Amino acid sequence: MAARGQGFVAELKGAVTPRAALLVIGVLLLQLGFIVSYVGALHQPAPHKLSIAVVAPPQVTPKLVQALESVPDEAVKPVTAPDAETATQQIRDQKIYAALVVNPTGTEDTLLVGGARGSSAAKAAETVTTALDKAQGRTVKVEDVVPLAKGDTNGLSAFYLVIGWCVGGYLVASILGISAGSKPANVHRLLIRLGVLALYSVGAGLGGTIIAGPVLDALPGSILALTGIGALVVFTVGAFTMALQCLFDVIGIGIAVLVFVVLGNPSAGGVYPAPMMPPFWRAIGSLIPNGAGTSATKSIAYFDSTNLAAPIVVLVVWALIGIGVAYLAVLRGPRSGGRELVAEPAES
């Protein structure tokens, strides 16, 4: 019996090496992290400092602002606007999420919303203002000043398009690493990989834009601009994944999944916009390529490319960090225990 037990242990060690066991444990942790992140970020949306402008006569405005400020849990961030036209433009410029326009000659007010920025935020604004007006014997009608495209019923097309771009970015970087060594043998080979990634990124950006736009009619907006954002998202994610592989070999792929899937996707503002998410996810969303890409894509598709600078800066910074880290890692030479393909010297 003892010999049989020892034989099983020997077979187990041969079948599952310590390194493989650690990788399996790492995969389990990633899987659990995936569940925690998605369920934690998306299971119970509630507004936090949702910006709603008040358009009302001067004698009424302070009372309405105070009423909105008194909504529990800092759900609303009230501001004022001089007229409905200004409030509408502020919604289109992504400065506010909604505006309550009070009718001084009647009992029915108007809530202006930008549905393309997030239907859940628009619904939350409607719930808050309806309760407020009901307490005063008034009613609210909703007017969507930035409606979703006909083929983008739930407003998720931009989010899923960016997810596709991100997946392509870290997969192509992973394939290049697996097929030819996690760390390029020299700077020239790194530049070649980055060049391949750049060409792939342009193709992926254009392909995704054509599918989401002309083919499926799911997303409006400039094909050229969306292609540019798509190419930048793919290249950014790919370059950063390359850097992680240069530093951590195959484990770098797992770290890329952690960053771009476990952290990046639920915080990207696709399912719920930032004011509807828990504090942690609200804080990191715009700082990760997924969220930056989603914001930029929505801006191009629905908001006349307003507020594009911040997400583009985020994407460029991540790309530069990826390139810089990979370059420094290659300059340091082979990592102990790492796998690297180097050309064999020709036989004489």
Side-chain angles (χ1 to χ4, degrees), residues 293-320:
T294 300
S295 296
T297 301
K298 282 188 175 183
S299 177
I300 292 169
Y302 291 111
F303 296 96
D304 297 324
S305 298
T306 58
N307 291 349
L308 264 182
I312 288 177
V313 167
V314 169
L315 291 169
V316 170
V317 168
W318 277 74
L320 291 176

Side-chain angles (χ1 to χ4, degrees), residues 102-130:
V102 175
N103 180 4
T105 61
T107 60
E108 183 181 61
D109 300 328
T110 301
L111 178 69
L112 306 176
V113 299
R117 200 166 178 200
S119 57
S120 60
K123 186 64 179 177
E126 181 182 357
T127 300
V128 169
T129 54
T130 298

Side-chain angles (χ1 to χ4, degrees), residues 146-334:
V146 191
L148 290 165
K150 184 178 179 181
D152 190 18
T153 305
N154 296 315
L156 296 175
S157 297
F159 172 57
Y160 286 125
L161 177 59
V162 172
I163 285 180
W165 283 332
C166 289
V167 169
Y170 65 73
L171 281 183
V172 72
S174 301
I175 290 170
L176 288 172
I178 292 171
S179 64
S182 297
K183 184 192 295 185
N186 52 53
V187 173
H188 289 159
R189 293 192 182 184
L190 172 63
L191 294 177
I192 290 172
R193 286 195 193 184
L194 290 172
V196 171
L197 174 62
L199 290 174
Y200 175 90
S201 299
V202 173
L206 178 60
T209 297
I210 291 174
I211 291 171
V215 174
L216 298 178
D217 196 25
L219 203 64
S222 164
I223 291 179
L224 181 61
L226 287 173
T227 297
I229 289 298
L232 182 56
V233 169
V234 176
F235 184 84
T236 295
V237 173
F240 198 82
T241 302
M242 281 187 184
L244 291 173
Q245 289 182 98
C246 287
L247 293 178
F248 305 108
D249 197 37
V250 69
I251 296 175
I253 299 174
I255 298 175
V257 172
L258 172 65
V259 173
F260 300 120
V261 178
V262 175
L263 296 178
N265 283 348
S267 65
V271 179
Y272 299 119
M276 301 298 296
M277 290 191 292
F280 174 74
W281 307 103
R282 186 167 61 240
I284 68 172
S286 62
L287 302 177
I288 299 179
N290 310 53
T294 300
S295 296
T297 301
K298 282 188 175 183
S299 177
I300 292 169
Y302 291 111
F303 296 96
D304 297 324
S305 298
T306 58
N307 291 349
L308 264 182
I312 288 177
V313 167
V314 169
L315 291 169
V316 170
V317 168
W318 277 74
L320 291 176
I321 291 173
I323 294 171
V325 170
Y327 177 77
L328 293 175
V330 169
L331 286 183
R332 289 184 59 188

